[in-house]
Structures are given as C-alpha cells and as structure tokens.
Amino acid sequence: MSQPHEGDDGTQRLPVIEQSPDPAAAAGAPGLDQSVSAADYDPVPVRADGEGGKAGRFWSVRRVPAALLALMLLAASGLFLYDIAAVRAHRSAMRWRVRLADWLAGHPVDDVAVLAGAGAVALLGIWLIVLAVTPGLRGILPMRRESAAVRAGLDRAAAALVLRDRAMEVAGVQSVRVRMGRTRVVVRALSHFRELDDVRADLDAALGTGIRELGLAGPPGLAVHVSRPVRKG
C-alpha cells in the first residue's frame, strides 16, 4: 500500500489503496511494498453475498505516541527497579524517592499540588484512551468497496482539488475555495459576471456530480456560497 503524497511540483496526490495480501503470492513477489501491513488498519467484515464489506475509516498506527509512552514507562520502571534493588542490597535509597516520600507525607490528599498532579495524570490517561478508540487519519476519506479484497481511500486535499477544478469549469466563476470535510463540503466562489443564482445553481449541479464521481463511502453534504469580488479603489 502506498500512502498519498504530493510532489514538489504540486501534482495531485493519489488515492490510498489497500489490497488484502495473499500469503502465497506475497512471499516471493518481487518489488512488492510490504512496508505497511494490513494489521495497521481495522479489519473489515466481508458480507456473505460476496460483496465488499463495510467501508470503515482507516486506522492510524500512531507510532510516535506509542513510542513515547513506551520510553516513559521503560525509564520509570528502570529507576524504580534500580532503587528497589539498591534497598534490598542494604544501600540507601535514591534521594529523589526519599524527598518525594517526605513531600507526600507532609501534604494531604486534598492539597492543591496533589490534586493538580492527579489531574494531569488523569488527562494523560484520557488522551491515551481517546487515541486507542478513535481511528485517526482524518485526511483520508474511505471510498466505496466494490470488492472484499480491496480497500481504497482518497486524500482529502486531493478531493478538494478535484472539486475545485470542476467548479472552475462553470461559466462566470472567477475563483473558488473548497474546504473538504468528512461530512460536509463548503465551497466559496467569486463570480465576475452572470447572475449569482444561475452560477450557484450550476455549481450545485457540477459539484454534486463531482462528489458522486469521487466514489466516497459516505458522500458529504454540499454548501455553496457565491459572491461578487471586492472592487479595489
């Protein structure tokens, strides 16, 4: 699978396509990119009638948060293990642990500093839970599944570029800004001639067709705003 990217020359980024691997064929296939495995994404059930299953969102592997958490836990575990081993060997405990124990002994549970520390730890835990239960990869829009063996996703910036080009083909449109969301597309156009209602109607028709042709699993809604350019001077 190749992730979408944009070249230095501003060319359009390609959709993300994931194909279920064939272990027998992938074992000796030359030139096969196996840098990202299917385990990085959520499994999608296959319908009994042989059609493509549910086109769910792509899941992010979130390597950076996982690596940071692992390093923090490794460092904390190493310090505590070393300190416990030193105490068991009849050596003095580390100064930071002695000071921490003395500080906690002199501060009750309802102390402001203790509550602030507990709140920070709770927020960190909530953040990790949110990362664990949410898909991520908000920049990739899932496409309709025609086959159970293939999953495809379209980069949000590439989809906005396609709709922008489609809008610029409408007569009377001078410039267009497209904001592509997962559930809604907001288009703001400037028209230098023709009636604004006529331009808006043509944009609704052209962009509605363009959204359907993107092949998205959940076609977003469309909001079109047309106005006149501001005259200078």
Side-chain angles (χ1 to χ4, degrees):
M1 184 189 72
S2 59
Q3 292 290 349
H5 63 279
E6 183 173 359
D8 297 334
D9 56 351
T11 55
Q12 178 178 335
R13 290 182 281 188
L14 298 177
V16 175
I17 300 178
E18 176 187 344
Q19 185 170 2
S20 299
D22 184 358
L32 182 62
D33 183 10
Q34 298 179 351
S35 58
V36 181
S37 63
D40 293 337
Y41 303 101
D42 59 322
V44 179
V46 180
R47 297 177 184 174
D49 55 6
E51 298 178 359
K54 179 182 178 182
R57 288 178 56 189
F58 289 82
W59 281 73
S60 172
V61 294
R62 293 190 171 99
R63 292 186 177 91
V64 174
L68 292 178
L69 179 61
L71 289 176
M72 291 174 58
L73 292 178
L74 180 62
S77 301
L79 285 176
F80 279 109
L81 181 60
Y82 174 82
D83 190 59
I84 293 174
V87 172
R88 291 293 183 180
H90 303 288
R91 300 180 60 180
S92 59
M94 300 180 69
R95 292 183 179 180
W96 67 268
R97 192 167 72 88
V98 176
R99 292 178 180 178
L100 180 60
D102 294 339
W103 186 86
L104 291 176
H107 290 76
V109 179
D110 58 351
D111 187 79
V112 176
V114 176
L115 294 177
V121 174
L123 289 177
L124 178 61
I126 293 174
W127 177 63
L128 293 176
I129 292 175
V130 170
L131 290 181
V133 301
T134 55
L137 293 181
R138 299 176 60 86
I140 300 179
L141 302 174
M143 303 178 69
R144 289 193 301 268
R145 298 195 66 180
E146 303 296 338
S147 172
V150 178
R151 292 189 64 200
L154 183 62
D155 183 74
R156 189 184 298 185
L161 182 60
V162 171
L163 295 180
R164 176 186 176 278
D165 293 342
R166 180 66 66 91
M168 290 299 297
E169 296 175 357
V170 175
V173 174
Q174 181 179 8
S175 63
V176 180
R177 290 187 303 170
V178 178
R179 185 170 61 86
M180 188 77 184
R182 291 192 297 112
T183 59
R184 189 176 180 84
V185 180
V186 179
V187 179
R188 300 184 182 277
L190 295 179
S191 176
H192 55 296
F193 70 93
R194 295 184 65 195
E195 294 294 331
L196 296 183
D197 293 338
D198 295 339
V199 176
R200 185 180 298 108
D202 291 346
L203 284 173
D204 285 334
L207 294 176
T209 302
I211 292 175
R212 289 192 298 270
E213 291 178 352
L214 290 177
L216 300 177
L222 176 63
V224 178
H225 305 277
V226 183
S227 59
R228 297 292 186 192
V230 178
R231 294 184 179 179
K232 298 182 180 180

